[in-house]
Amino acid sequence: MEKLKGRAVMGGIIFGKLVFYQRDEQVVKKRKVGNPQLELQRYEYARDRAINELDALYEREIKNIGKDHADIFMIHRMLLEDESFVEKIEKSILEDECCADYAVQLAASQVAGELGHAEDEYIRARTADVKDVSRRLIRHIQNKSEQEMNFEKNSILCCFDIEPSETVALDKHKVTAVCTCYGSANSHSAILARTMNIPMIVAFGKQLTEECNGKRAIADCYSGTLYIEPDKDTIRKMLEKREEEGRKHELLKRLRGRRNITLDGTEIQVYANISGLMDVKYVEENDAGGIGLFRSEFLYLQNDDFPDEELQFYTYRRILEKMNGKKVIVRTLDIGADKNPDYLSSDMEENPALGMRSIRICFEKPEIFRTQLRALYRASVYGSLAILFPMIIDPEEIIAVKAIIQDVKDELDAEGVPYSDKVEIGIMIETPAAVMLSDELAREVDFFSVGTNDLEQYALALDRQDSRLEKYCKPHHLAVLRMIKMACDSAHRYGKWIGICGELGAELSLTELYLAMGIDELSVSPSQVLPVRKKIRSISLTDRLGILLRYGVIRPDELYDYDMFR
Ligand code: PEP
Ligand code: MG
């Protein structure tokens, strides 16, 4: 079995056969033409045909996918009529005597280059549309017919990239999922896939090749994993997951708009974890009360260099605005270990998980840290922002962080830039050290968020990257549960709140225990918000101590420490 990881765009568990589709290479050569006027006519004739084709597609797809999404063809039409695009093409043909197809390709690459540098993520993603429509135009200039996309039933379409017009043309009865080497979650193809309910994973990179053609596979489009020639165990797990996801879907319809309240009236916040601006849609869809963890490092991983202040400011601001006053907890840069951008040249490490990662990189590279903090504070006036610092192991570290924050605020004051004075400061509890010092840490911060993924790794000495160790990582391991309880008690002793944002937060067999401990917030992936809500609504906390005893989180002899015997 081969297991490939990409970026999940639209969920689903799909069993099928892989079909690697390769678009016919469009060969465009630079040629000088003898009669530029004639060449201009040839281009204009091709452009008219391309426009007619787009009009027809628009009319057809309005019925299939609705006006909002069919509008993509109108956007393409407008591009073909865009003055500066047309001028570029005409200039190449008339002044440089270039052949029409080359003139179009040149103009398209210039426009795509300009868009690619735009500040706005949405505008940047439009480069794919320029390429798509230019390819259509060139096809008409070269007088070629459209390449057919014929697939057998149950095909998982694999390709380098898929264009919006190709996505729309997919026969959903045959193509059950799409996996691409490249592409972004913000592209129109991705937007269309979500609308058309086509499970999709993008950005597999070079690991997805033609060699997969004809192989059996399971696309877990929730986690972004493609299992090629899956083994029996994986097939069983995926069948279970498919069933589970089906059930979750039903819940989605019934539980939206309800409160997260136990049978005896205790209310708890259920927030969602996200990796980027595009994920806010799922937060809304699943009716989460806020964003409990925005893993900001994905901003860094998606770029060719450290993202600048403006790009970060724009992203944080948009997320805060979209959340409309609901809490948004942004975790500062947590790269290193398994999350390494190419541009971060770091020394080889024997044990990367124990190495130069996360807040340590921020201390080593203060200018990068300050850039992020400036962007965050500038954005803070657009909503309810909280900032979460990862991998803290010592109160000294959070004191140092707070000094840097003060510096950044002073700088903004001097520049007359406004920021909110209500930004909460919190830390991840994800190392045994943070648990053991949770009393001291609680004095320094407004809240804790337990990162169980790393806490399990460090407390149980289990490399979270090594799938062979999964069987040792029991969700009910008492060491971890008692650590969570300890951090919870420390937070509350100092009047601070505490949440869980690691994967264990969504473990429904532990929800009751978390509530009995007094956890104030659970932040889970968007699709898990409603199942957690359902679970909360089925729990009674009238016997909190009984629950803690039952899970072994407190021992019977410890009961003397509790109020009931005093
Ligand atoms: C965690 O460690 O539990 C956590 C939420 O952070 P990450 O998984 O990004 O390390
Ligand atoms: Mg972590």
Side-chain angles (χ1 to χ4, degrees), residues 293 295 331 334 339 428 430 451-454 464 501-502:
L293 173 67
R295 290 179 160 97
R331 181 177 70 187
D334 187 15
K339 291 178 279 195
M428 297 280 295
E430 55 184 343
T452 52
N453 308 336
D454 276 316
R464 65 189 270 192
C501 64

Side-chain angles (χ1 to χ4, degrees), residues 7 9 128 160-162 180-187 190 201-204:
R7 180 156 184 196
V9 161
F160 291 117
D161 204 351
I162 186 159
T180 69
C181 301
Y182 307 106
S184 85
N186 206 19
S187 70
I201 309 174
V202 297
F204 278 104

Side-chain angles (χ1 to χ4, degrees), residues 337-434:
D338 56 318
K339 291 178 279 195
N340 269 313
D342 293 339
Y343 55 83
L344 181 79
S345 50
S346 45
D347 297 331
M348 273 290 286
E349 291 177 309
E350 278 285 311
N351 293 300
L354 306 179
M356 192 51 76
R357 57 171 291 197
S358 188
I359 197 75
R360 299 169 189 168
I361 293 181
C362 292
F363 285 140
E364 292 292 313
K365 297 183 185 293
E367 61 302 341
I368 284 155
F369 195 31
R370 289 174 73 96
T371 300
Q372 180 166 37
L373 291 172
R374 274 183 63 94
L376 281 166
Y377 273 91
R378 280 176 56 201
S380 65
V381 289
Y382 295 96
S384 171
L385 174 71
I387 307 179
L388 179 61
F389 296 94
M391 283 291 285
I392 296 290
I393 55 166
D394 190 325
E396 292 297 322
E397 288 175 342
I398 191 67
I399 291 168
V401 165
K402 287 201 293 189
I404 300 172
I405 290 176
Q406 192 51 54
D407 237 39
V408 165
K409 283 181 175 177
D410 292 346
E411 204 173 82
L412 293 175
D413 282 337
E415 292 167 20
V417 178
Y419 56 86
S420 164
D421 56 4
K422 294 197 178 66
V423 178
E424 286 182 298
I425 301 295
I427 58 163
M428 297 280 295
I429 299 287
E430 55 184 343
T431 61

